[in-house]
Amino acid sequence: MSTPLWITATPPAPHGELHIGHLAGPYVAADVLARFLRADGRPVRFTTGTADHAVSVQERALRTGRKPAEVAEGYHAAITADWRRSGITFDHVVQPRHDRGYLRWVQDLFVRLHAEGVIAPRARLLPYCEPCDRWLYGARLSGGCPHCGVTGAGGVCRACARPNDCGDLLDPSCDRCGTSARLRRCRRLYLPLEPFRDTLADYWATLALPPRLAALCEGLIEDGLPDVAVGYPGDWGIEVPVEEFADHRIDACFESAALQLFGHAARNEPWPERTVHFCGFGHAFCHAVLLPALLLAQGVKLPQDFLVNEGYRLHDAGTDETWALDLLTEFGSDTLRRHVLEARPVGRDTAFDRDRLARARQVLDGTWNGWLTRLFTAVREDSAGVVPEVLPGGTGWDVQARRLNRGVDELREAYSLDSFDPRRAVAMLDEIVRSTADFGHVNDHERRRPRGDGRHLAPLVAQLGVAAALTAWARPVMPEGADRLAAALGIAPGGPVTGEALAAPPAGTRLAPPSGPVFGF
């Protein structure tokens, strides 16, 4: 590839901290793919940002007596810190209020689209709260979705992913005071999507869309593509750069799509040959409809992949049990990452289960760390803590080696973009460790042979080869533990996920096992 593959993940609104549902959605999974591709030698550009100008940020500020900018700044810092603690490594996280040139870039895009007639004014009904004396849109109001009936906010329904115009919500009410809203005519700027009907339909037909996303796109085509409001009367956000609408602010969904474009455009590089978008289904409209429309309006048609997750429910657990920071502090990044990949909501909703998270730690402690502890202890006792100068072997090693080589092929498939399945990757890694631990138990009895001819050393070297392989094979899922294991073995971490990684450290290498667990803590 001449240009990096571009991976994006939905920009979260910084009106609160990350919870485990965010990690179970786009972020950890996107990081797994990025790590695998980088280790494989593929150039990758992995970006996101924070939606600082979301209406929910202003609403949080009003409820807490703070300024919206203070809320955005504080939670941006908390969110990015939680990403780092989770081992999620972005190439660029756009911070709208600080990235040089961002505001001007978004406004220039808006002006250009308006000048070309892509954005046009419309007068439509918009809810208004008389007691609060303000227009209602986004997180300012709630009502039933006109398409599926589920109660939600204005803009895009998080349940069915279809957009609403706020004025068409069922029984709309003010989210601040609860008063039923009155509908008033309001002149706003819109991006009509119907002119893109044929181009979008052809474009979607070329993509391997997930079935639910394909159904959404085909339904929009069938029903008629909507006019999407791209500005609202308000005082928080980026000013609409059109004189007649100077008191309006750019809509958060439009800005979210523009933010992702800026994450690439800021480098002044050619458009990538392929992009991959990770998002929850509730955000799919912005990723799969509005973002392509903005690209098509600029004459850019990108091959795009959409890896969409469903909802990860938290209502069965207390809020204090689901914050990412608290869970990372208690369980560590290895445990939390493997858990959210196992519980990743693909094709159906899943729910947070603390017992299942605890079982993930038990697997790491009992199976992974138990095997590694026995291995390091055996090397210390039988070979003075250095890698023995023998070839890998032992009873059953030929069979085990063949299984491992078949297993790494399946593991690569689970990590690869066209067959991405991180849940399968976790299962494969567990099977590799379990089968190798069994191999170790079987061959441990070699130490009890009266002849003492050193036959027990070859199985140790074989197991050290598997341990070395895991520094590459497991690193996309659990980078912290994989790097700790590499340090213990005295090898470089982060190699490609291939059969060539199945090689013990050079003979004579002195091992340096950590004082605590290798994976998790």
Side-chain angles (χ1 to χ4, degrees):
M1 296 179 65
S2 59
T3 57
L5 183 141
W6 180 26
I7 300 176
T8 72
T10 302
H15 58 244
E17 297 179 25
L18 287 183
H19 53 66
I20 191 173
H22 293 114
L23 299 181
Y27 304 116
V28 171
D31 184 73
V32 168
L33 178 62
R35 285 180 180 275
F36 168 73
L37 293 173
R38 288 192 186 108
D40 226 30
R42 296 280 298 278
V44 172
R45 176 78 174 156
F46 183 24
T47 68
T48 189
T50 50
D52 291 9
H53 299 127
V55 180
S56 58
V57 172
Q58 185 179 38
E59 293 303 289
R60 179 62 179 259
L62 290 171
R63 290 196 300 271
T64 57
R66 291 184 288 171
K67 296 179 180 179
E70 294 173 344
V71 171
E73 296 282 339
Y75 284 120
H76 174 93
I79 288 168
T80 53
D82 286 345
W83 279 333
R84 288 193 297 272
R85 295 185 187 101
S86 304
I88 299 168
T89 306
F90 293 100
D91 293 298
H92 188 195
V93 177
V94 177
Q95 189 171 9
R97 299 179 61 81
H98 291 278
D99 273 34
R100 184 176 180 180
Y102 172 80
L103 298 179
R104 175 62 64 84
W105 189 90
V106 173
Q107 288 185 319
D108 286 348
L109 173 64
F110 199 101
V111 167
R112 186 164 65 254
L113 294 176
H114 179 262
E116 295 171 355
V118 176
I119 291 175
R122 300 280 191 274
R124 302 279 172 79
L125 294 175
L126 186 66
Y128 190 86
C129 178
E130 294 186 340
C132 294
D133 189 25
R134 64 177 191 165
W135 294 102
L136 302 179
Y137 49 86
R140 288 186 172 189
L141 84 159
S142 61
C145 172
H147 307 288
C148 70
V150 172
T151 299
V156 177
C157 176
R158 293 293 179 255
C160 71
R162 283 186 173 241
N164 63 71
D165 198 33
C166 299
D168 55 355
L169 286 177
L170 309 176
D171 302 319
S173 61
C174 176
D175 201 60
R176 183 197 295 179
C177 70
T179 301
S180 294
R182 293 191 60 182
L183 297 180
R184 294 185 178 181
R185 290 183 67 81
C186 181
R187 187 171 172 81
R188 291 170 283 162
L189 288 170
Y190 283 79
L191 196 161
L193 293 174
E194 190 62 21
F196 295 94
R197 162 188 283 272
D198 293 340
T199 308
L200 280 173
D202 292 343
Y203 176 62
W204 289 328
T206 66
L207 306 178
L209 296 175
R212 193 180 183 197
L213 182 55
L216 169 66
C217 294
E218 290 176 13
L220 291 170
I221 292 291
E222 183 72 18
D223 298 341
L225 291 168
D227 295 351
V228 179
V230 294
Y232 288 97
D235 55 5
W236 172 244
I238 301 177
E239 295 180 2
V240 170
V242 177
E243 184 176 355
E244 182 183 352
F245 299 92
D247 60 342
H248 287 211
R249 298 296 181 268
I250 293 176
D251 172 69
C253 187
F254 177 94
E255 188 187 344
S256 178
L259 181 150
Q260 295 183 71
L261 295 180
F262 178 81
H264 174 79
R267 292 174 61 88
N268 294 315
E269 293 180 346
W271 288 106
E273 296 180 10
R274 190 174 184 181
T275 62
V276 185
H277 303 290
F278 283 80
C279 66
F281 183 74
H283 295 275
F285 181 84
C286 292
H287 284 265
V289 183
L290 189 56
L291 176 59
L294 294 183
L295 286 166
L296 292 169
Q298 300 175 79
V300 178
K301 191 172 184 178
L302 291 178
Q304 299 185 69
D305 295 272
F306 298 94
L307 294 175
V308 180
N309 62 271
E310 301 293 336
Y312 187 80
R313 301 188 304 275
L314 305 177
H315 61 266
D316 294 332
T319 301
D320 59 336
E321 296 181 333
T322 62
W323 295 122
L325 175 58
D326 294 337
L327 293 173
L328 286 164
T329 301
E330 181 177 356
F331 290 92
S333 68
D334 287 340
T335 301
L336 203 61
R337 283 174 68 104
R338 67 162 287 143
H339 167 71
V340 299
L341 294 172
E342 286 183 300
R344 180 167 160 76
V346 178
R348 79 282 181 263
D349 288 355
T350 58
F352 174 67
D353 184 338
R354 188 178 178 85
D355 289 340
R356 190 173 177 183
L357 174 58
R359 286 195 295 273
R361 177 160 63 184
Q362 290 169 1
V363 170
L364 289 181
D365 284 345
T367 304
W368 289 62
N369 292 326
W371 163 60
L372 288 170
T373 298
R374 292 191 299 274
L375 176 59
F376 289 143
T377 299
V379 173
R380 184 183 69 247
E381 294 177 350
D382 297 345
S383 187
V386 301
V387 178
E389 192 171 356
V390 297
L391 294 176
T395 299
W397 176 242
D398 289 344
V399 174
Q400 177 69 0
R402 288 197 298 271
R403 288 174 177 168
L404 289 170
N405 279 288
R406 290 197 300 271
V408 73
D409 289 340
E410 289 193 47
L411 188 60
R412 281 189 62 83
E413 182 179 65
Y415 281 143
S416 296
L417 173 56
D418 293 329
S419 51
F420 187 68
D421 187 353
R423 184 185 305 169
R424 176 63 179 159
V426 171
M428 288 300 305
L429 290 168
D430 281 345
E431 174 57 26
I432 288 167
V433 172
R434 277 194 296 265
S435 64
T436 304
D438 289 343
F439 168 83
H441 281 301
V442 167
N443 283 275
D444 187 56
H445 295 286
E446 295 284 3
R447 304 169 70 191
R448 298 177 176 84
R449 291 200 178 197
R451 286 182 299 176
D453 57 4
R455 294 180 58 158
H456 61 291
L457 297 178
L460 294 185
V461 174
Q463 292 175 76
L464 287 172
V466 179
L470 287 174
T471 67
W473 296 357
R475 194 170 190 268
V477 172
M478 296 178 288
E480 184 176 3
D483 288 357
R484 196 179 292 130
L485 179 56
L489 297 173
I491 62 176
V497 180
T498 62
E500 286 71 24
L502 187 61
T509 300
R510 180 165 296 280
L511 305 187
S515 58
V518 176
F519 289 92
F521 56 81

